[in-house]
């Protein structure tokens, strides 16, 4: 049984990935037998399940909870004859503001969800994957530089970028493709409305912001073509280039100026 595991599937990019992956599998003539949809909100997962033609296993799970590992391990061990063809680690969140003003519990949970949970799901799934399988790790263009007022979030995405790049080399001999997706701001998700932590609307000016549909479609195509780091929109592509040319000290000053426009 060929399955896809998607975290953060209750909303935003994770939800769009489920729809796009189903369409991609159908176009390729290799439809999936099931989706495993993982998130905390059962109602949203069940709603998505009803929208898909592929059978879905709804898994209500807080990936930052201590019991998450056992829950996923047991589910994989109990499943018979499964082949994990896709892992899409889309669960994550951010907080915008001066780091000292962001509750420490939020910063620590950001690290747990954005980093630890992505590694957990990926590593548990790999023994059930074989040549031709894909892992997509949803990072951010924030991974390319330190960003004041988006400090911990950017650091977690930098971790994910480096983990994904190194893991892609380790898994190359097994034919398992790892793609780290680094989009610019995405306008049609819940990220920004949940990320603000202070009275000022930092990073509220979003020229050329991408949308979830384009991001999912382009990153899945990139994964199919063996691209290890995907910048799926023009702004993330340009940002990646600038971060290889300009010193981080200058890029951080530019980020501060950009953050305060319309704040």
């Amino acid at each position: 049984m060929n399955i896809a595991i998607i975290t953060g599937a209750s909303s935003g990019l994770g939800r769009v990935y489920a729809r796009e992956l189903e369409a991609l599998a159908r176009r390729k003539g290799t439809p999936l037998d099931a989706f495993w949809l993982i998130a905390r909100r059962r109602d949203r997962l069940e709603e998505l399940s009803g929208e898909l033609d592929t059978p879905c296993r709804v898994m209500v799970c807080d990936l930052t909870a201590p019991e998450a590992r056992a829950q996923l391990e047991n589910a994989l061990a109990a499943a018979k004859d499964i082949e994990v063809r896709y892992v899409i680690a889309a669960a994550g969140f951010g907080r915008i503001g001066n780091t000292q003003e962001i509750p420490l519990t939020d910063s620590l949970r950001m690290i747990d969800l954005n980093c630890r949970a992505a590694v957990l799901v990926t590593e548990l799934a790999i023994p059930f994957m074989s040549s031709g399988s894909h892992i997509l790790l949803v990072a951010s263009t924030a991974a390319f530089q330190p960003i004041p007022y988006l400090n911990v979030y950017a650091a977690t995405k930098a971790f994910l970028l480096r983990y994904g790049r190194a893991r892609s080399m380790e898994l190359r001999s097994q034919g398992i493709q790892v793609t780290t997706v680094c989009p610019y701001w995405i306008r049609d998700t819940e990220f920004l409305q949940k990320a603000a932590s202070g009275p000022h609307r930092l990073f509220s000016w979003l020229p050329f912001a991408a949308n979830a549909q384009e991001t999912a479609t382009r990153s899945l195509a990139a994964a199919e073509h063996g691209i290890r780091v995907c910048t799926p929109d023009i702004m993330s592509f340009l940002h990646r280039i600038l971060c290889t040319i300009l010193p981080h000290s200058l890029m951080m000053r530019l980020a501060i100026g950009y953050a305060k426009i319309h704040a």
Side-chain angles (χ1 to χ4, degrees), residues 174-210:
Q174 297 173 236
I176 299 172
Q177 172 66 36
V178 182
T179 298
T180 307
V181 186
C182 299
Y184 181 60
W185 298 112
I186 300 176
R187 68 171 68 90
D188 53 343
T189 70
E190 299 174 343
F191 177 85
L192 282 169
Q193 68 185 64
K194 292 186 174 182
S197 61
H200 304 294
R201 298 185 65 238
L202 298 169
F203 297 104
S204 61
W205 187 55
L206 303 176
F208 310 110

